Amino acid sequence: MTRPRIAVSSCLLGEPVRFNGGHSRDRFLTGQLDPYVEWVPICPEMEAGLGTPRETLRLESSPGGPRLMTRTTHADLTDRMSALAHERAAALRVDGYVFKARSPSCGIHGVPLYRAEGPPLDRRNRGLFAGVVIAAHPLLPVEDEGRLNDALLRESFVERVFAHARLRELLHGDWRPRDLVAFHARHKMQLLAHNPELYGQAGRIVAGAGSRPRAELAAEYALTFQRALATKASPGRNVNVLHHCLGMLFLDPAHRADLLAVIDSYKAGLVPLSVPATLIRHHARGQDASYVREQSYFSPYPDALRLRNHVPAVADRRA
Ligand code: SF4
């Protein structure tokens, strides 16, 4: 399986780069996920030459927008950090990014914005470095380590990262239109689970694969593919995909009824998605159903990660 490249705030990998010389090692990233990915560690504050230990930073409001300031000496680091972020963003070739939560440089949600004095004005901001990177790569899968504690967000992020890596590997090689057709065929159910409309659009792009310039075709397909996967795969759409795959298997009435019951159990929130998905994959392996068997939907990332073993909460099942 393709090994994704994931940019990560260095402190999350355990590097002693925080303001106090410490780190924020994350157990999921350095444990469960580590064997399957290639990390690209980035510490913007160290790269900006601030060293460690260092004075802490914060975002401060100004008429021209948030400024990145040192807390005690009030040095303005906005221009230095902004230039670094633009340079890093332009050269970034990765399949995802995990940022450190709430950092004034790396945070992607909930970073406090201060006045020169007093309590925060609000806590809805993005760190300066992260903001520039995300603006430059709006479809790149990004999360912070705090949100990755949520089982649904974790699975969704990892799924997108691996799909991004497979597409990157295809399009950066010496591909032919038939390779894109084969890639799309393998990803059909995964796209359908995320966004039926963009699934249809991707199919139409691939249908014209032989008659268009390669670069134009690749750019349009990549955009549609990534937009589709950026949409949440709801339980309802997963049920639709499971029924779709079930319809392509040759099963006796008893086995079919069993599988339908399991899909209903998933729909009702009684079993995780891994249960019906594993059963369908098992039946597809046992018969000549290569189209179903080879769908990336059934192996979107290494099985050993076991990220589909959670039951969505009621609110998420309604989504
Ligand atoms: Fe460096 Fe970002 Fe971690 Fe701060 S949050 S120590 S800037 S990697």
Side-chain angles (χ1 to χ4, degrees):
M1 188 170 273
T2 308
R3 200 177 167 90
R5 283 167 55 81
I6 307 181
V8 58
S9 296
S10 307
C11 55
L12 294 174
L13 295 187
E15 293 182 14
V17 292
R18 293 197 66 207
F19 69 95
N20 57 2
H23 61 75
S24 305
R25 184 192 306 277
D26 183 84
R27 284 176 56 191
F28 168 66
L29 302 179
T30 58
Q32 206 176 340
L33 191 57
D34 183 67
Y36 306 103
V37 304
E38 178 189 338
W39 297 114
V40 180
I42 299 173
C43 176
E45 293 179 16
M46 290 296 278
E47 290 190 18
L50 300 183
T52 182
R54 60 180 172 271
E55 198 179 330
T56 53
L57 310 183
R58 68 180 192 176
L59 294 181
E60 286 187 14
S61 71
S62 82
R67 312 292 297 177
L68 184 65
M69 310 289 290
T70 58
R71 260 176 209 262
T72 313
T73 56
H74 301 291
D76 188 337
L77 300 174
T78 311
D79 293 346
R80 200 196 305 186
M81 183 61 79
S82 181
L84 171 72
H86 281 99
E87 189 186 315
R88 278 305 228 148
L92 203 59
R93 300 286 177 271
V94 294
D95 302 303
Y97 203 137
V98 184
F99 289 98
K100 173 77 185 80
R102 294 180 294 282
S103 150
S105 301
C106 291
I108 59 174
H109 302 286
V111 179
L113 177 69
Y114 291 84
R115 287 178 274 245
E117 300 204 353
L121 278 171
D122 67 58
R123 295 176 182 276
R124 293 172 308 199
N125 304 278
R126 191 164 265 174
L128 180 57
F129 182 87
V132 171
V133 169
I134 291 170
H137 300 275
L139 287 173
L140 185 71
V142 299
E143 273 302 354
D144 67 41
E145 88 288 2
R147 282 166 54 90
L148 288 180
N149 286 322
D150 178 292
L152 271 179
L153 295 176
R154 177 182 290 192
E155 202 241 333
S156 166
F157 174 74
V158 172
E159 181 190 355
R160 285 181 65 198
V161 162
F162 274 84
H164 196 284
R166 289 191 296 272
L167 184 64
R168 175 176 56 80
E169 187 174 67
L170 171 76
L171 297 181
H172 285 187
D174 181 24
W175 64 278
R176 297 281 177 269
R178 66 171 180 274
D179 301 320
L180 183 63
V181 171
F183 177 92
H184 179 68
R186 277 202 316 280
H187 287 82
K188 276 186 171 181
M189 294 301 107
Q190 201 177 352
L191 292 172
L192 185 60
H194 282 268
N195 189 317
E197 190 185 326
L198 291 173
Y199 154 82
Q201 195 172 314
R204 288 190 289 280
I205 293 168
V206 167
S211 58
R212 296 177 59 191
R214 255 176 33 135
E216 182 186 300
L217 177 70
E220 193 179 349
Y221 185 80
L223 182 66
T224 308
F225 182 86
Q226 287 162 11
R227 281 179 56 216
L229 289 181
T231 316
K232 194 168 153 189
S234 68
R237 287 197 283 265
N238 278 320
V239 167
N240 178 38
V241 165
L242 294 167
H243 281 156
H244 208 78
C245 293
L246 183 56
M248 288 184 264
L249 298 178
F250 300 100
L251 293 173
D252 61 49
H255 278 112
R256 185 170 297 278
D258 279 351
L259 258 173
L260 281 169
V262 173
I263 294 172
D264 281 347
S265 295
Y266 163 68
K267 189 176 175 183
L270 301 175
V271 298
L273 177 59
S274 57
V275 176
T278 303
L279 282 172
I280 288 180
R281 187 163 63 163
H282 167 77
H283 284 290
R285 278 180 178 152
Q287 52 185 262
D288 187 18
S290 57
Y291 176 78
V292 175
R293 198 173 58 222
E294 289 166 12
Q295 286 298 311
S296 62
Y297 180 79
F298 294 107
S299 304
Y301 39 74
D303 291 348
L305 284 170
R306 296 195 301 272
L307 298 178
R308 278 179 169 172
N309 293 344
H310 62 276
V311 176
V314 174
D316 291 317
R317 288 206 306 279
R318 287 196 195 109

